[in-house]
Amino acid sequence: MGEDRQRVGRPRSEQARTAILHAVDDLLVEVGYAALTMKGIAERAGVGRQTVYRWWSTKAEVLFEAAITDAVEELTKPPQATLLDDVSTYLEAVEGFLTGSHAGTAYRALLGEAQHDPEVARLVGSAALFDGPSRAVLERGISRGELPPGTPLDAAMAVLTGPAFYLGLTGAAVPGGSVRAFAPALVAAVRELAAD
Amino acid sequence: MGEDRQRVGRPRSEQARTAILHAVDDLLVEVGYAALTMKGIAERAGVGRQTVYRWWSTKAEVLFEAAITDAVEELTKPPQATLLDDVSTYLEAVEGFLTGSHAGTAYRALLGEAQHDPEVARLVGSAALFDGPSRAVLERGISRGELPPGTPLDAAMAVLTGPAFYLGLTGAAVPGGSVRAFAPALVAAVRELAAD
Amino acid sequence: MGEDRQRVGRPRSEQARTAILHAVDDLLVEVGYAALTMKGIAERAGVGRQTVYRWWSTKAEVLFEAAITDAVEELTKPPQATLLDDVSTYLEAVEGFLTGSHAGTAYRALLGEAQHDPEVARLVGSAALFDGPSRAVLERGISRGELPPGTPLDAAMAVLTGPAFYLGLTGAAVPGGSVRAFAPALVAAVRELAAD
Amino acid sequence: MGEDRQRVGRPRSEQARTAILHAVDDLLVEVGYAALTMKGIAERAGVGRQTVYRWWSTKAEVLFEAAITDAVEELTKPPQATLLDDVSTYLEAVEGFLTGSHAGTAYRALLGEAQHDPEVARLVGSAALFDGPSRAVLERGISRGELPPGTPLDAAMAVLTGPAFYLGLTGAAVPGGSVRAFAPALVAAVRELAAD
DNA sequence: GCATAATCGAGACGGTACGTCCCGTCTTCTG
DNA sequence: CAGAAGACGGGACGTACCGTCTCGATTATGC
């Protein structure tokens, strides 16, 4: 596949790698994405600048690797008994992730950067962060019989994720105080999609 | 308020102001937001650097002023005969704005910057770009009797805007080829919101 | 000539210029030429790095400007009564300059750099540091009648300067303890040159 | 002395050693001394970096070993019939060596480095490159009876070598076109030295 | 003939200077 | 007296070498 880079010579230092990922995590919280620099990351990690560049091209790539695993975990919640509960839980997870979490801050920074850098856009797009969790909710709904088997998943995923995503990204206040209140409406929307 | 800044001396050059706004517009297209610099804007406008800083603090502010009027115009479409048509037209406008338009590129860049700069977040938040157009669609629905008077507008606006916004910002492919296909589902969702 | 660079805009800061020249002088003594860096010069002078590069391309150019005036002064001694005394004094000046003086250290460093950088070679060659003083010694000898008017000056200058230069550059011990002892022999050599 | 370094283990590779010396020779000509790097030498020689460092500390040391043998050879010319011819031939050899030869370029580079690195100065001083050849010329003069037995050799060597050395190092044009023209004057100077 | 040991090429490591770019401020001349 | 021009101190950029280190592989000696 390509995973066998370099067979001779000194092997890559796992210690340096984790020090860099930790440094980028810490610095994002401490100084914010705008003030995050490759120089700063290297110094914080106690690592040569070249060592960072050797394995990642931009601060976006480092941040992506540092944050994406946590991000997926935060969005994955245990199954609920009903579709409505499942959707409510998912919406809450999305809201919490975007507005209150560490990994979510990293994701928003990356998505922001993606708006003016196609390279980062490709990187972030490759994660398709919300796809797995939202698809799981829908598939559980189908297997429970709460949704017809022909439900168009891609469209339904966008319907489930969109509103909370929009509120999180624009920083708008959540109407009604909690995004859980959207659940019945979005379930209705998904059923309507399936009916077409 | 403070509209009478400077009563003696040479008055502010309107010519310089518009040259700067045009320059920022052009440069955004030509080099992208990341490579947009205050230095570059001043040079392109044929203007001293200080003159730019005198009226705007950051490139985000210049861009905001240059793009926001166009943005509102692009999102405002003539009323349609039915709620369903109105929603379809609105969705199409949002999609076209975010993915295909000049002003939309500026908006996405600003929203991106807002993810890592609270100052810009405040600026972009103050525009609440989608609020006017989406509220208008809903109010027309109410006045036509297609929606109950008690429909919760803020929540409904997020439901209408969210899916297209999500697809536009993440660069995902639109399921079914057009966002118009979401209209029936979103109308159903809005009605469900109103029913609670 | 070209001395009128920049007629508009902020003028060059004389304060920065002298701070840089002093810094380079100090650093040469403190850390030596090899450890002299543009970065170090700028920091020592309390000046931006770009400000150094704006007016000089290399550390050699800065050092040249900082040292060359002093160098000429050190090599210029008051006229003596006889050619022999004049030559002795000149030889002593050359020796002292190359082995014991501040400006001489700078000159040796530059001449060293000139051996592997043609640009520096041109710069140092343009100074022709020993030409003025050695020619003056010879012309006084001619005007006193101690040397014939037809004495070939260029060759005589090389004969007068060469031995002390050779000893100074190679770091060899001076035979007899003082380079003054070479004077009678070199006067004889110059007379022989003139006789050809 | 210390010639028995390592008695067990893999012996030093003579092949690597000569590859390094050849590489340094080639690179000096191709890129010049300033752009000569230990990294470049190792890569050109097809050798690990450590292998170079194991046997030489600096690029100056490698260059010294690569060039010094050739240098001595170039300065050693067959004896001539008379002192004047011997001196002329020597002067020509010095000039050709410094300005036209491969080994001379290396010597000039090393002498240049010696001006700002005492370690290199010691190394180059230890060679005393011109001592052997110039002393030979003088001793032949004495044995032929053209010079008195008491001629002070060290001073005479500096007188013979200095002018051509000065012209070669400063890159000045040779007055009269050839250094051979200096020979009678320098012979006169040496005789005057002996007479004191 | 098998362990020991020093060499080899390769290449990653922590550092540091390079020369460039832009930041936001300042100081001059020009209209 | 605003505006253009452009120099100022500062600091990050991405690159190149530095000299050291850690690999696996190779090639001698000595038990």
Side-chain angles (χ1 to χ4, degrees):
Chain A
M1 301 296 275
E3 73 273 6
D4 52 57
R5 170 168 175 178
Q6 174 240 336
R7 303 184 312 97
V8 305
R10 181 176 177 171
R12 175 173 185 183
S13 160
E14 185 58 28
Q15 185 177 326
R17 181 180 166 273
T18 59
I20 291 166
L21 295 177
H22 285 3
V24 97
D25 249 20
D26 294 352
L27 285 172
L28 181 68
V29 174
E30 291 174 27
V31 304
Y33 183 82
L36 196 63
T37 65
M38 291 296 253
K39 184 171 188 280
I41 294 166
E43 283 170 2
R44 175 61 160 265
V47 139
R49 209 117 64 89
Q50 182 100 225
T51 300
V52 184
Y53 282 109
R54 190 146 24 217
W55 305 107
W56 300 278
S57 298
T58 61
K59 61 176 177 172
E61 288 184 18
V62 194
L63 189 53
F64 183 81
E65 182 161 345
I68 213 62
T69 313
D70 289 354
V72 172
E73 273 176 28
E74 284 189 38
L75 286 173
T76 305
K77 298 285 177 182
Q80 306 295 313
T82 65
L83 176 60
L84 190 63
D85 274 355
D86 244 359
V87 169
S88 294
T89 303
Y90 173 68
L91 292 175
E92 203 164 42
V94 171
E95 183 191 16
F97 171 72
L98 287 177
T99 66
S101 108
H102 191 153
T105 302
Y107 174 76
R108 286 196 298 111
L110 287 170
L111 191 81
E113 194 71 358
Q115 303 311 314
H116 24 81
D117 185 338
E119 201 64 48
V120 179
R122 201 168 314 126
L123 185 70
V124 175
S126 77
L129 206 54
F130 302 98
D131 280 16
S134 59
R135 170 175 280 120
V137 167
L138 294 165
E139 286 176 343
R140 287 198 293 267
I142 294 172
S143 68
R144 271 192 226 99
E146 294 183 273
L147 289 174
T151 306
L153 290 180
D154 285 344
M157 283 151 59
V159 165
L160 287 189
T161 308
F165 181 91
Y166 169 68
L167 293 170
L169 267 287
T170 57
V174 176
S178 166
V179 84
R180 295 184 70 99
F182 284 86
L186 299 185
V187 167
V190 170
R191 291 209 166 105
E192 176 62 33
L193 274 179
D196 291 342
Chain B
M1 301 291 273
E3 73 275 3
D4 52 33
R5 168 167 175 179
Q6 170 246 331
R7 300 186 309 103
V8 304
R10 182 172 175 175
R12 173 174 179 182
S13 160
E14 184 58 26
Q15 187 178 326
R17 183 179 166 276
T18 58
I20 291 166
L21 293 177
H22 284 2
V24 98
D25 248 21
D26 295 352
L27 285 172
L28 181 68
V29 175
E30 290 173 27
V31 305
Y33 183 81
L36 195 63
T37 65
M38 291 296 252
K39 183 170 186 279
I41 294 166
E43 280 169 5
R44 175 59 161 266
V47 136
R49 212 116 62 89
Q50 192 76 257
T51 302
V52 185
Y53 281 110
R54 201 159 358 237
W55 306 106
W56 299 276
S57 297
T58 62
K59 62 176 178 174
E61 289 184 18
V62 193
L63 188 54
F64 184 80
E65 181 162 342
I68 211 64
T69 312
D70 289 355
V72 173
E73 272 176 29
E74 283 188 40
L75 286 174
T76 305
K77 298 286 177 182
Q80 307 294 311
T82 65
L83 177 60
L84 191 63
D85 273 357
D86 244 359
V87 169
S88 294
T89 303
Y90 173 68
L91 292 175
E92 204 163 41
V94 172
E95 183 191 16
F97 171 72
L98 287 177
T99 64
S101 108
H102 192 151
T105 302
Y107 173 77
R108 286 196 298 111
L110 287 169
L111 191 81
E113 194 72 357
Q115 303 312 313
H116 26 80
D117 184 339
E119 201 66 48
V120 179
R122 202 169 312 126
L123 186 70
V124 176
S126 76
L129 207 54
F130 301 98
D131 281 15
S134 59
R135 171 174 280 119
V137 166
L138 293 166
E139 287 177 342
R140 287 197 294 267
I142 293 172
S143 67
R144 269 192 226 101
E146 294 183 274
L147 289 174
T151 306
L153 290 181
D154 284 345
M157 283 150 61
V159 167
L160 286 189
T161 308
F165 181 91
Y166 169 69
L167 294 170
L169 268 287
T170 57
V174 176
S178 166
V179 281
R180 296 186 70 100
F182 284 85
L186 298 184
V187 167
V190 170
R191 290 203 167 111
E192 176 62 31
L193 274 179
D196 290 342
Chain C
M1 304 294 272
E3 74 271 7
D4 51 56
R5 170 168 175 179
Q6 171 242 334
R7 301 185 313 98
V8 306
R10 179 175 179 172
R12 176 172 186 184
S13 159
E14 185 58 26
Q15 186 177 326
R17 181 179 167 273
T18 58
I20 291 166
L21 294 178
H22 284 4
V24 98
D25 247 21
D26 295 353
L27 285 171
L28 181 68
V29 174
E30 290 173 27
V31 304
Y33 184 82
L36 195 63
T37 66
M38 291 297 253
K39 184 170 188 281
I41 294 167
E43 282 170 3
R44 174 61 160 265
V47 139
R49 209 118 65 90
Q50 180 100 228
T51 300
V52 183
Y53 282 110
R54 194 150 18 222
W55 305 107
W56 298 278
S57 298
T58 61
K59 60 177 179 174
E61 289 184 17
V62 193
L63 189 53
F64 184 79
E65 181 162 344
I68 212 63
T69 312
D70 288 355
V72 172
E73 272 175 29
E74 284 189 38
L75 286 174
T76 305
K77 298 285 177 180
Q80 306 295 312
T82 65
L83 177 60
L84 190 62
D85 273 355
D86 244 358
V87 169
S88 294
T89 304
Y90 173 69
L91 291 175
E92 204 164 42
V94 171
E95 183 190 16
F97 170 73
L98 288 176
T99 65
S101 110
H102 191 154
T105 303
Y107 173 76
R108 285 196 297 112
L110 287 170
L111 191 80
E113 194 72 356
Q115 304 311 314
H116 24 80
D117 184 338
E119 200 65 48
V120 179
R122 203 168 313 125
L123 184 71
V124 175
S126 77
L129 206 54
F130 301 99
D131 281 15
S134 59
R135 171 174 280 119
V137 167
L138 294 166
E139 287 175 344
R140 286 198 294 267
I142 293 173
S143 66
R144 269 192 227 100
E146 293 183 275
L147 288 175
T151 306
L153 290 181
D154 284 345
M157 284 150 60
V159 166
L160 286 189
T161 308
F165 181 92
Y166 169 69
L167 294 170
L169 268 288
T170 56
V174 176
S178 166
V179 82
R180 294 184 73 100
F182 284 84
L186 298 186
V187 167
V190 170
R191 291 207 166 108
E192 176 62 32
L193 274 180
D196 289 345
Chain D
M1 304 288 277
E3 73 274 6
D4 52 34
R5 170 171 175 177
Q6 170 245 336
R7 302 187 310 104
V8 304
R10 181 174 176 174
R12 173 173 186 183
S13 159
E14 184 59 27
Q15 186 177 327
R17 181 180 166 274
T18 58
I20 291 166
L21 294 177
H22 284 3
V24 98
D25 247 22
D26 294 353
L27 285 172
L28 181 68
V29 174
E30 290 174 28
V31 305
Y33 183 82
L36 195 63
T37 65
M38 290 297 252
K39 184 170 186 277
I41 294 166
E43 280 169 5
R44 174 61 160 265
V47 140
R49 211 117 63 87
Q50 192 77 259
T51 302
V52 184
Y53 282 110
R54 192 145 24 219
W55 306 107
W56 299 276
S57 297
T58 63
K59 62 175 177 173
E61 288 184 17
V62 193
L63 188 54
F64 184 80
E65 180 161 345
I68 212 64
T69 313
D70 289 354
V72 173
E73 271 176 29
E74 284 188 38
L75 286 172
T76 305
K77 299 286 177 180
Q80 307 294 313
T82 65
L83 177 60
L84 190 64
D85 273 356
D86 243 359
V87 169
S88 295
T89 303
Y90 173 68
L91 292 176
E92 203 164 42
V94 171
E95 181 191 17
F97 171 71
L98 287 176
T99 65
S101 107
H102 192 151
T105 301
Y107 173 76
R108 285 196 299 111
L110 287 170
L111 190 79
E113 195 70 357
Q115 302 312 313
H116 27 80
D117 184 337
E119 202 65 49
V120 180
R122 202 167 314 127
L123 185 70
V124 176
S126 76
L129 207 55
F130 301 99
D131 280 15
S134 58
R135 171 175 280 119
V137 167
L138 293 165
E139 288 176 341
R140 288 198 293 267
I142 293 171
S143 69
R144 270 192 228 99
E146 294 184 272
L147 289 174
T151 306
L153 288 182
D154 284 345
M157 282 150 61
V159 166
L160 286 189
T161 308
F165 181 90
Y166 170 69
L167 294 170
L169 267 289
T170 57
V174 175
S178 165
V179 281
R180 297 186 70 100
F182 283 85
L186 298 185
V187 166
V190 170
R191 290 202 167 113
E192 177 60 34
L193 275 179
D196 290 344

